[in-house]
Amino acid sequence: MGGGKIRPNNAPTGIDRQATRFWLLVAFLVFVSLTGGGSRPDISSLVILRPVAILLCAGAGWMITADELRQHRFVLGMIAVIVGLTAFHLIPLPPALWHLLPGREIVTQIDLHAGLGQPWRPISLAPSDTRNALFSLFVPLAALLVGVGLRRVQLEGLLLIFIALGCISGLLGLLQLLGPQPGRYIFTRTLITASPPGCSPIETIRRCSWQRCFRCWQLG
């Protein structure tokens, strides 16, 4: 009345946010599949996937509301502990404290005989592998943060999309296995030359399930 503007209802805002998250998560799952998502450090496409996952974590964290944090505090707290514990192993410790940790005797002897002194070292004996493990956590973390707050019907739709991506990946791997030159694969070669790569974010399921099923079918 009086020429004033009526403020729009806030209800559609939440619906729009959920729809945005849903399609963003769908796009991310497809992107992970196309870039061969995995945790091995020798996958060249990870230089694209992991920075995108980190940026997506930042954007998804900005979209989370206080109610969603309270509702999913256990899951979010658990992943925070996992990420924090992994990062904690990369913190450099003073030599006096580092030498007190178990399993450091051989490294101490090497430092002594090689004249390396007593440098500060992280808790992890393989820092490069620990850094790889830390950055690999950002991919599932991004999916978790984007998917927080989705409705049940949207989660069921994501499950169907996830299954479809797995089937497409297994089919691609199977077609490459049945090709005229089994040693040559269309997509990126893995360290296991007998395993044809597909396009799935779940390397273990692709290798164990599809390849074993095909071998069982051959033996049968």
Side-chain angles (χ1 to χ4, degrees):
M1 296 178 64
K5 295 182 179 180
I6 301 176
R7 297 180 61 182
N9 189 4
N10 291 329
T13 303
I15 298 177
D16 293 341
R17 185 186 296 113
Q18 288 182 342
T20 301
R21 288 179 174 178
F22 174 78
W23 291 112
L24 185 61
L25 187 51
V26 170
F28 183 65
L29 288 178
V30 174
F31 179 73
V32 171
S33 299
L34 294 177
T35 52
S39 60
R40 293 200 334 268
D42 60 335
I43 303 177
S44 58
S45 59
L46 293 182
V47 298
I48 301 175
L49 174 60
R50 289 180 177 177
V52 171
I54 293 174
L55 293 176
L56 187 58
C57 285
W62 179 76
M63 290 189 298
I64 293 179
T65 63
D67 291 337
E68 291 169 347
L69 285 176
R70 287 191 295 267
Q71 184 179 1
H72 303 280
R73 60 183 179 272
F74 176 77
V75 176
L76 295 176
M78 182 174 62
I79 192 65
V81 170
I82 295 174
V83 174
L85 183 61
T86 306
F88 177 75
H89 282 76
L90 293 173
I91 299 177
L93 297 178
L97 183 59
W98 190 87
H99 290 161
L100 295 177
L101 298 175
R104 268 60 178 178
E105 295 80 8
I106 297 179
V107 180
T108 303
Q109 293 291 333
I110 294 175
D111 291 343
L112 180 63
H113 289 86
L116 299 178
Q118 295 185 343
W120 286 47
R121 285 192 173 96
I123 299 176
S124 174
L125 290 174
S128 59
D129 292 339
T130 306
R131 282 192 295 269
N132 176 63
L134 177 62
F135 285 111
S136 69
L137 293 174
F138 282 98
V139 177
L141 177 61
L144 175 63
L145 293 178
V146 175
V148 166
L150 292 182
R151 293 173 295 174
R152 182 179 181 85
V153 63
Q154 293 173 320
L155 295 177
E156 293 174 352
L158 283 175
L159 179 59
L160 295 178
I161 293 174
F162 197 75
I163 294 175
L165 290 174
C167 292
I168 293 173
S169 173
L171 181 61
L172 287 176
L174 187 61
L175 290 176
Q176 293 176 89
L177 192 64
L178 296 175
Q181 295 178 325
R184 293 187 177 182
Y185 301 134
I186 301 174
F187 302 102
T188 55
R189 183 184 297 272
T190 63
L191 294 177
I192 304 177
T193 56
S195 176
C199 64
S200 172
I202 310 181
E203 294 287 331
T204 305
I205 293 180
R206 177 180 57 75
R207 287 186 189 150
C208 296
S209 300
W210 287 96
Q211 192 171 351
R212 288 181 181 176
C213 288
F214 178 70
R215 288 178 179 176
C216 291
W217 175 75
Q218 282 184 318
L219 294 175

